[in-house]
Amino acid sequence: MSFALEAEGLTKTYGAVRALDDLTLKIPAGGVFGVLGPNGAGKSTLFRIAMGLVRPTSGVARLSGSPAGHASSLRQVGAMIETPRYPPYLTARDALKMLALQSGARDVDIDGWLDRVGLSGAADRKTSTYSVGMKQRLGLAAVFFTRPTLAILDEPTSGMDPAGIQEIRELIRRLAAEEGATIILASHQLDEVRRVCDRVAILAKGRLVAEGSVETLAGRKPALRLVASPVAQVLEILGEQAAADGPDAVLAQIERHEAPALIRALVGAGVDIHEARWREADLESAYLDILQAKEPADAR
Ligand SMILES: Nc1ncnc2c1ncn2[C@@H]1O[C@H](COP(=O)(O)OP(=O)(O)OP(=O)(O)O)[C@@H](O)[C@H]1O
């Protein structure tokens, strides 16, 4: 397996503060990886080291096998650290042109990228007139237009309203699928992480306290909750794949692609289905439980 980012025994101290404390973490190449953790857990420090902005006190970080901070690894990484800032007098188009010049990227389809992030209509407006969401979308174009193999997004939806968060979330998923880049994102929005990320790591006080797929960490897979009658017949048809969930509902442990066929089969067997809804993995409770149980006890 190849890894987009590897941290081995990574420690970073700022005076008496250990921002990272012997962190070992391997983030596989491909997909969207979430880094979670309370304020001060060390997420941004890990990202700054990956981008070569900060030197570790000890340990190593590698991007696709090359040491972080080396020219070869820097060329592969694009990053957005919180809300991007641009000189206020620049339009979005000029901001991307400037970034293309700075990065030495050639043949960048600036109009195409403005279109992909939904900014075509505002391309010639000064970025100082942009909403937070528009700045984030421009920031995503700026990360991806040089086609990095690794994109690091530090709290990409901070300060945004729910509609804006949903837009950015969909854009990130689309870019992950279309660009094939590994995306590593830090977020405090657990719902966002659950919907966007394939795998997550939880950091606390600079250490790794949990790592795995969202479903594994949440301790349960998504299940299809069917409100149906007669319930007994649904339980009989589904056998071991189902469990009663109250007097009129059943939880079916099936994969998402199996849902249409199951519903067709139940209706064909004469079952009335009043509601079918996915019960998602509960990452938030799992996150809080993990932090309570595993957070290193030594307060700093
Ligand atoms: N340049 C610095 N100088 C001194 N201390 C720092 C510096 N950068 C980070 N720290 C400290 O290191 C610890 C980890 O900070 P970091 O920003 O990596 O955490 P984080 O998980 O990104 O937090 P948040 O969720 O609040 O962004 C904190 O205690 C922070 O105060």
Side-chain angles (χ1 to χ4, degrees):
M1 187 188 267
S2 61
F3 296 100
L5 173 61
E6 291 165 275
E8 254 181 50
L10 212 54
T11 295
K12 176 67 193 176
T13 55
Y14 292 103
V17 175
R18 271 178 185 264
L20 292 178
D21 188 3
D22 196 22
L23 175 73
T24 293
L25 171 66
K26 288 177 193 287
I27 299 183
V32 186
F33 191 98
V35 180
L36 307 178
N39 293 127
K43 305 178 295 289
S44 302
T45 304
L46 172 65
F47 293 168
R48 290 200 185 99
I49 291 174
M51 287 153 57
L53 298 173
V54 164
R55 272 174 188 274
T57 308
S58 58
V60 284
R62 282 187 285 270
L63 302 185
S64 305
S66 309
H70 276 210
S72 59
S73 51
L74 284 179
R75 268 196 297 276
Q76 305 171 34
V77 59
M80 180 165 85
I81 303 295
E82 299 194 354
T83 305
R85 294 204 185 97
Y86 302 99
Y89 48 85
L90 285 187
T91 65
R93 192 192 306 280
D94 289 341
L96 288 187
K97 276 187 193 160
M98 178 190 78
L99 291 169
L101 277 175
Q102 278 175 355
S103 67
R106 286 191 205 150
D107 303 326
V108 176
D109 178 12
I110 286 176
D111 286 329
W113 273 100
L114 287 166
D115 187 39
R116 286 180 80 179
V117 298
L119 289 175
S120 291
D124 296 311
R125 257 171 62 188
K126 288 187 177 149
T127 56
S128 55
T129 68
Y130 273 24
S131 66
V132 178
M134 291 167 87
K135 285 183 188 157
Q136 300 294 84
R137 281 188 274 145
L138 179 56
L140 287 177
V143 167
F144 284 94
F145 80 154
T146 56
R147 310 232 168 229
T149 54
L150 171 63
I152 293 176
L153 310 175
D154 198 356
E155 300 188 34
T157 56
S158 66
M160 296 183 67
D161 62 25
I165 289 175
Q166 191 178 348
E167 249 180 42
I168 294 290
R169 184 193 295 150
E170 279 162 17
L171 186 56
I172 290 172
R173 268 278 32 138
R174 195 149 40 90
L175 288 169
E178 290 170 2
E179 294 300 305
T182 307
I183 299 179
I184 302 177
L185 68 87
S187 176
H188 291 290
Q189 310 266 346
L190 295 182
D191 190 48
E192 167 177 285
V193 169
R194 179 179 63 73
R195 286 164 194 260
V196 171
C197 298
D198 306 301
R199 294 180 73 80
V200 296
I202 301 177
L203 305 189
K205 295 177 182 163
R207 300 183 200 167
L208 180 70
V209 292
E211 199 258 323
S213 71
V214 171
E215 286 168 6
T216 311
L217 283 193
R220 66 183 192 197
K221 292 180 74 166
L224 186 66
R225 187 174 188 275
L226 293 163
V227 179
S229 55
V231 163
Q233 198 180 350
V234 180
L235 288 169
E236 195 183 315
I237 291 172
L238 273 160
E240 285 183 357
Q241 277 183 300
D245 188 36
D248 59 356
V250 166
L251 274 179
Q253 297 290 346
I254 58 167
E255 301 295 329
R256 280 175 203 274
H257 69 269
E258 296 172 323
L262 171 64
I263 290 169
R264 273 198 303 274
L266 291 173
V267 171
V271 171
D272 287 334
I273 295 179
H274 306 283
E275 188 182 293
R277 189 185 287 259
W278 282 98
R279 192 200 65 179
E280 301 295 343
D282 183 5
L283 185 60
E284 185 158 346
S285 318
Y287 172 78
L288 294 172
D289 288 349
I290 287 168
L291 281 183
Q292 231 171 16
K294 294 197 181 165
E295 201 175 25
D298 52 328
R300 229 171 267 124

